[in-house]
C-alpha cells in the first residue's frame, strides 16, 4: 500500500474514547495493539516512548503506535487527557482486541497477533509527539468524538469514522504547516489564488497574475502553492479542467468537441491528449463507461 491507497482505505474504528482527569499520572511500561491519540489539555507529563524521553505540555498531542513500548513516568499538576484508542483500518477481529497494559514479553501469541501495522507512521509520517498550531481545533473535534462515544447510538459507526478522519486530516495539515511555517501565514493568499484559478479555469492564467493576486513574489508564490496543494498552479488548473470536463461528459448532452472548447482547449486533439494524461483513459472511453450515469432523457 502507498500513501494515496492508505488515504482511500482509512476506515477508523474507535475502541475507546475517554476524557481522563487525574491528580497524578503514572503508567507502567506497556505496548498497545492499536493506536492511542492523546491530547494534553492540562498538566505536564514526563513520558518515555521507545528510547525517547519527552516532556509534554498543554496543547501537545501524542500518538502512541502499535507495538512501541511507552510509559508515563511522572506528572506535575492535575492532568486532563482526552484520548481515543482506535484502529486506522477495518479488521474483522476489531471487537476482540482489548486495550493492553502489558509488556510485549508478557503477551501471548494470540495477543501479539492483534498488533496492527503502523500505517499512520510509515506512510503518513505522523510522529509520536505532535506540536501544531491548530491543536485547539483538533481538541474540539476530539471532544465531539468523546461526547458521541459516551452517547453511542445505532449510527455512531458512521459518525466516529467521520470524526477520526477529520482529526487525522487536521493533524496532517497542522504538521505540514509546522514544517513549512509560511503555509499558515499565507493561507488566505493561497485561497485567493485558487479561487482565481477556479473562476478562470478555462482561460489562460499567467503565473505572474496569480502571484500578484497572492501579493507574493513569483518564486515565493510558486513554492508556497506547491507546498500547500502538492501540485503546481498549472497542474491545479489542469486537474480542475478535467473535473469540469467529467461533469459535462456525465451530465450534459454536449459533444466532446463542445466540451473541449468549454473547458479551455482549442481542439479535441489537445483536450483528448490532456485528459488521457491526467486521467489514464481517453475521453471517449470515460464517456462510454459513465454513459449510464448521464443526464436523464427529457420527454415532452
Amino acid at each position: 500500500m502507498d500513501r494515496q491507497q492508505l488515504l482511500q482505505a482509512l476506515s477508523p474504528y474507535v475502541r475507546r474514547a475517554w476524557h481522563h482527569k487525574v491528580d497524578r499520572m503514572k503508567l507502567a511500561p506497556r505496548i498497545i495493539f492499536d493506536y492511542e491519540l492523546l491530547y494534553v489539555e492540562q498538566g505536564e507529563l514526563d513520558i518515555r516512548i521507545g528510547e525517547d524521553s519527552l516532556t509534554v505540555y498543554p496543547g501537545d498531542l501524542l500518538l502512541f503506535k502499535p507495538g512501541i513500548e511507552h510509559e508515563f513516568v511522572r506528572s506535575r499538576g492535575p492532568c486532563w487527557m482526552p484520548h481515543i484508542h482506535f484502529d486506522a483500518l477495518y479488521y474483522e477481529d476489531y471487537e476482540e482486541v482489548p486495550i493492553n497494559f502489558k509488556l510485549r514479553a508478557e503477551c501471548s501469541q494470540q495477543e501479539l497477533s492483534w498488533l496492527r501495522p503502523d500505517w499512520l507512521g510509515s506512510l503518513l509520517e505522523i510522529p509520536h509527539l505532535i506540536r501544531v498550531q491548530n491543536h485547539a481545533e483538533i481538541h474540539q473535534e476530539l471532544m465531539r468524538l468523546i461526547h458521541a462515544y459516551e452517547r453511542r447510538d445505532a449510527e455512531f459507526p458512521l459518525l466516529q469514522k467521520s470524526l477520526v478522519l477529520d482529526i487525522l486530516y487536521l493533524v496532517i495539515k497542522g504538521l505540514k504547516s509546522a514544517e513549512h511555517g509560511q503555509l499558515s501565514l499565507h493561507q488566505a493568499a493561497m485561497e485567493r489564488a485558487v479561487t482565481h484559478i477556479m473562476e478562470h479555469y478555462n482561460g489562460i492564467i499567467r503565473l505572474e497574475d496569480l502571484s500578484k493576486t497572492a501579493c507574493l513574489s513569483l518564486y515565493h508564490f510558486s513554492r508556497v502553492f506547491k507546498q500547500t496543494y502538492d501540485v503546481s498552479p498549472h497542474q491545479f488548473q489542469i486537474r480542475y479542467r478535467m473535473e469540469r470536463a467529467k461533469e459535462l461528459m456525465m451530465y450534459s448532452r454536449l459533444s466532446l468537441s463542445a466540451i473541449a472548447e468549454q473547458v479551455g482547449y482549442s481542439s479535441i486533439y489537445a483536450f483528448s491528449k490532456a485528459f488521457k494524461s491526467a486521467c489514464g483513459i481517453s475521453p471517449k472511453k470515460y464517456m462510454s463507461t459513465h454513459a449510464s450515469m448521464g443526464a436523464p432523457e427529457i420527454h415532452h
Side-chain angles (χ1 to χ4, degrees), residues 66-134:
I68 304 297
E69 185 178 305
H70 60 272
E71 66 174 311
F72 287 69
V73 180
R74 66 182 65 84
S75 66
R76 287 175 288 280
C79 294
W80 295 10
M81 304 165 292
H83 65 273
I84 58 172
H85 277 267
F86 68 99
D87 286 335
L89 304 179
Y90 172 79
Y91 298 93
E92 290 186 356
D93 63 353
Y94 69 92
E95 291 183 330
E96 302 172 29
V97 177
I99 296 171
N100 189 55
F101 291 93
K102 298 186 291 187
L103 292 167
R104 181 186 289 265
E106 299 169 334
C107 295
S108 67
Q109 287 301 311
Q110 172 63 58
E111 289 171 325
L112 292 177
S113 72
W114 289 328
L115 276 169
R116 308 314 198 193
D118 177 24
W119 297 116
L120 300 185
S122 62
L123 293 184
L124 300 188
E125 299 180 350
I126 300 178
H128 295 290
L129 175 59
I130 302 166
R131 283 184 174 146
V132 290
Q133 290 186 348
N134 62 338

Side-chain angles (χ1 to χ4, degrees), residues 10 22 31 85 103 176 181 183 187 191 201 205 218 285 295:
L10 285 172
V22 291
I31 65 167
H85 277 267
L103 292 167
K176 184 180 285 189
L183 295 189
Q187 183 176 354
E191 284 291 334
Y201 74 94
I205 300 176
L218 194 62
K285 178 68 174 175

Side-chain angles (χ1 to χ4, degrees), residues 16 18 44 93 117 181 211 228 240 257 260 296:
R16 183 181 186 183
W18 187 24
E44 295 181 8
D93 63 353
S211 64
T228 303
Y240 194 76
S257 296

Side-chain angles (χ1 to χ4, degrees), residues 15-290:
R15 186 160 284 107
R16 183 181 186 183
W18 187 24
H19 193 185
H20 191 195
K21 299 181 181 181
V22 291
D23 292 332
R24 289 184 299 172
M25 181 64 193
K26 187 176 178 65
L27 183 67
R30 66 162 181 173
I31 65 167
I32 54 177
F33 307 129
D34 54 0
Y35 291 101
E36 179 183 355
L37 181 68
L38 180 146
Y39 179 84
V40 183
E41 185 176 344
Q42 182 175 321
E44 295 181 8
L45 296 156
D46 293 332
I47 294 173
R48 179 179 64 83
I49 302 177
E51 298 180 357
D52 298 328
S53 295
L54 310 168
T55 299
V56 295
Y57 306 93
D60 287 343
L61 290 115
L62 293 161
L63 181 65
F64 299 104
K65 300 173 181 178
I68 304 297
E69 185 178 305
H70 60 272
E71 66 174 311
F72 287 69
V73 180
R74 66 182 65 84
S75 66
R76 287 175 288 280
C79 294
W80 295 10
M81 304 165 292
H83 65 273
I84 58 172
H85 277 267
F86 68 99
D87 286 335
L89 304 179
Y90 172 79
Y91 298 93
E92 290 186 356
D93 63 353
Y94 69 92
E95 291 183 330
E96 302 172 29
V97 177
I99 296 171
N100 189 55
F101 291 93
K102 298 186 291 187
L103 292 167
R104 181 186 289 265
E106 299 169 334
C107 295
S108 67
Q109 287 301 311
Q110 172 63 58
E111 289 171 325
L112 292 177
S113 72
W114 289 328
L115 276 169
R116 308 314 198 193
D118 177 24
W119 297 116
L120 300 185
S122 62
L123 293 184
L124 300 188
E125 299 180 350
I126 300 178
H128 295 290
L129 175 59
I130 302 166
R131 283 184 174 146
V132 290
Q133 290 186 348
N134 62 338
H135 65 86
E137 194 175 3
I138 297 170
H139 174 240
Q140 182 179 6
E141 292 302 280
L142 187 59
M143 293 306 298
R144 282 186 62 200
L145 178 53
I146 292 169
H147 180 88
Y149 179 86
E150 293 171 342
R151 295 157 177 79
R152 294 189 294 279
D153 57 18
E155 289 71 43
F156 176 72
L158 290 175
L159 180 59
Q160 56 106 19
K161 287 182 183 182
S162 68
L163 290 174
V164 175
L165 290 174
D166 190 29
I167 289 169
L168 292 176
Y169 174 81
L170 292 171
V171 166
I172 292 168
K173 287 298 183 183
L175 289 169
K176 184 180 285 189
S177 266
E179 182 181 358
H180 307 287
Q182 70 272 34
L183 295 189
S184 57
L185 182 64
H186 297 305
Q187 183 176 354
M190 294 302 104
E191 284 291 334
R192 289 197 302 272
V194 162
T195 299
H196 183 86
I197 294 174
M198 294 169 70
E199 289 177 348
H200 304 89
Y201 74 94
N202 56 354
I204 297 173
I205 300 176
R206 299 190 330 138
L207 198 57
E208 292 84 355
D209 294 336
L210 288 175
S211 64
K212 288 178 183 177
T213 299
C215 300
L216 295 170
S217 70
L218 194 62
Y219 170 76
H220 198 189
F221 168 76
S222 298
R223 186 160 55 91
V224 175
F225 191 100
K226 181 71 178 287
Q227 290 170 346
T228 303
Y229 297 106
D230 298 320
V231 293
S232 70
H234 177 67
Q235 290 168 329
F236 188 99
Q237 181 186 11
I238 297 300
R239 186 174 70 186
Y240 194 76
R241 280 181 171 184
M242 296 306 111
E243 290 305 311
R244 301 288 73 75
K246 287 178 183 178
E247 288 182 6
L248 291 171
M249 283 188 274
M250 291 169 61
Y251 301 116
S252 79
R253 298 299 180 188
L254 295 176
S255 67
L256 280 178
S257 296
I259 290 172
E261 183 179 356
Q262 190 157 326
V263 299
Y265 290 91
S266 58
S267 70
I268 190 171
Y269 171 77
F271 168 66
S272 297
K273 184 178 179 181
F275 189 93
K276 188 167 185 179
S277 176
C279 306
I281 60 173
S282 70
K284 286 185 178 179
K285 178 68 174 175
Y286 183 89
M287 212 166 184
S288 63
T289 302
H290 295 271

